[in-house]
């Protein structure tokens, strides 16, 4: 039975989200491999401060080429045994008790599971900027359950690698199923402030033309008016997740 969990995360100048992401995930995972795409902000300093036992590895890829990025991640996965997850800095795994969760993973007898994706979106005018001193999941609680269907689910598995399709939204391993009580909060439109708007508009500059030609990552290729239109459309559908019996514990 596997008794450890390892997280992999790639990033470029993600200090804003890392200040919450690292504090949230450091207690959940036994080890982390942080894949740096040449950050010039204080992302690496935060990792060394907030996750001192985790690794920082420099990516061989100069930009976020989806296929090359996924291939590199899977190569890193093959170096480790245990339960493995690959997350972005806007994706927060939420489980109630780590060791009960590990026991559940092992007892159900499968080698790969999905976690349930939830799209977080701030209703207009409800929130002020979040404090870096408190968990983000205690400051933001509006979202849409499975709004993006499987595209916001993330996998946890104990195969040598995840055998991912483009963007890691699918796996070619058989017999995947959902693991109850595990949620993947994707902070897509939350916190909705100038910092996150700049982040979203910048991402497209790090994606190669070859991916654009394939239509991969199309959600990133927007200008500010289009981004704001999609935000308003999404935020209008967000509910207070504290009213859901299955998720209330996350936000209390």
């Amino acid at each position: 039975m596997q008794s450890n969990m390892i997280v992999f995360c790639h990033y470029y100048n993600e200090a804003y989200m890392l200040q919450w992401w690292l504090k949230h995930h450091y207690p959940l995972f036994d080890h982390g491999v942080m894949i740096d795409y040449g950050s010039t902000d204080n992302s690496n300093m935060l990792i060394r401060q907030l996750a001192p036992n985790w690794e920082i590895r420099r990516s061989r890829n100069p930009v976020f080429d989806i296929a090359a990025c996924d291939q590199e991640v899977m190569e890193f996965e093959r170096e480790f045994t245990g339960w493995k997850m690959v997350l972005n800095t806007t994706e927060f795994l939420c489980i109630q008790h780590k060791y009960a969760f590990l026991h559940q993973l092992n007892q159900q007898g499968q080698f790969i599971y999905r976690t349930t994706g939830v799209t977080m979106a701030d209703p207009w005018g409800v929130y002020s900027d979040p404090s870096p001193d408190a968990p983000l999941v205690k400051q933001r609680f509006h979202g849409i359950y499975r709004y993006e269907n499987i595209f916001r689910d993330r996998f946890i598995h104990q195969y040598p690698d995840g055998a991912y399709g483009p963007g890691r939204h699918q796996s070619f391993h058989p017999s995947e199923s959902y693991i109850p009580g595990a949620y993947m909060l994707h902070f897509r439109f939350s916190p909705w402030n100038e910092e996150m708007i700049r982040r979203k508009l910048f991402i497209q500059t790090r994606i190669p033309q070859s991916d654009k030609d394939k239509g991969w990552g199309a959600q990133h290729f927007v200008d500010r008016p289009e981004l704001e239109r999609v935000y308003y459309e999404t935020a209008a559908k967000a509910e207070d997740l504290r009213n859901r019996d299955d998720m209330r514990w996350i936000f209390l």
Side-chain angles (χ1 to χ4, degrees):
M1 296 174 63
Q2 298 291 351
S3 61
N4 63 318
M5 297 198 302
I6 304 137
V7 66
F8 303 81
C9 179
H10 49 77
Y11 62 96
Y12 175 81
N13 287 356
E14 289 281 13
Y16 185 67
M17 288 303 293
L18 282 171
Q19 62 185 330
W20 294 293
W21 191 94
L22 289 165
K23 292 176 185 176
H24 180 90
H25 290 101
Y26 193 63
L28 293 183
F29 289 92
D30 300 284
H31 190 57
V33 177
M34 304 297 293
I35 307 166
D36 178 26
Y37 274 68
S39 295
T40 57
D41 67 352
N42 64 340
S43 293
N44 291 331
M45 181 188 73
L46 280 173
I47 295 167
R48 294 186 184 101
Q49 289 178 344
L50 300 177
N53 296 321
W54 287 8
E55 298 178 53
I56 298 174
R57 300 199 187 185
R58 181 67 179 262
S59 175
R60 62 173 179 251
N61 300 308
V63 292
F64 287 120
D65 178 300
I66 290 177
C69 176
D70 292 344
Q71 182 60 44
E72 184 174 48
V73 165
M74 288 189 285
E75 289 176 17
F76 290 149
E77 283 188 306
R78 290 195 286 270
E79 297 181 27
F80 298 88
T81 58
W83 291 100
K84 307 166 193 177
M85 291 198 77
V86 185
L87 302 177
N88 299 331
T89 61
T90 53
E91 296 170 334
F92 285 55
L93 172 66
C94 294
I95 56 176
Q96 283 192 276
H97 303 290
K98 173 182 175 177
Y99 294 106
F101 179 64
L102 269 171
H103 180 74
Q104 183 183 14
L105 289 171
N106 290 319
Q107 287 299 307
Q108 291 197 202
Q110 295 180 206
F111 288 87
I112 186 168
Y113 300 94
R114 284 183 178 271
T115 58
T116 299
V118 180
T119 300
M120 304 300 288
D122 294 353
W124 179 252
V126 170
Y127 295 109
S128 58
D129 282 347
S131 167
D133 299 320
L136 188 59
V137 297
K138 306 303 182 186
Q139 302 181 74
R140 290 295 194 273
F141 38 83
H142 281 85
I144 310 172
Y145 181 88
R146 299 207 69 204
Y147 180 57
E148 297 166 279
N149 203 359
I150 66 170
F151 294 106
R152 279 279 58 95
D153 298 343
R154 288 300 186 195
F155 297 101
I156 184 164
H157 70 87
Q158 56 175 316
Y159 286 106
D161 64 54
Y164 305 113
R168 305 186 317 282
H169 301 300
Q170 295 177 301
S171 171
F172 296 106
H173 288 306
S175 303
E176 63 185 57
S177 63
Y178 284 92
I179 187 75
Y183 297 92
M184 182 56 54
L185 271 54
H186 175 220
F187 284 84
R188 183 180 179 190
F189 294 111
S190 176
W192 187 249
N193 55 21
E194 286 299 318
E195 188 73 36
M196 287 294 280
I197 291 170
R198 282 194 297 270
R199 177 191 178 276
K200 282 187 167 293
L201 293 175
F202 176 75
I203 289 172
Q204 60 190 292
T205 69
R206 301 283 293 178
I207 299 174
Q209 185 62 45
S210 57
D211 280 5
K212 297 178 185 179
D213 294 341
K214 296 171 186 173
W216 292 352
Q219 71 275 14
H220 298 302
F221 306 130
V222 295
D223 58 15
R224 181 156 183 158
E226 175 63 11
L227 178 63
E228 291 181 342
R229 184 196 68 77
V230 177
Y231 155 69
Y232 283 116
E233 180 182 278
T234 307
K237 301 173 184 176
E239 63 175 309
D240 187 335
L241 297 168
R242 296 174 300 178
N243 294 328
R244 291 186 61 98
D245 291 340
D246 57 342
M247 295 185 67
R248 185 179 301 116
W249 57 270
I250 296 173
F251 308 101
L252 300 180

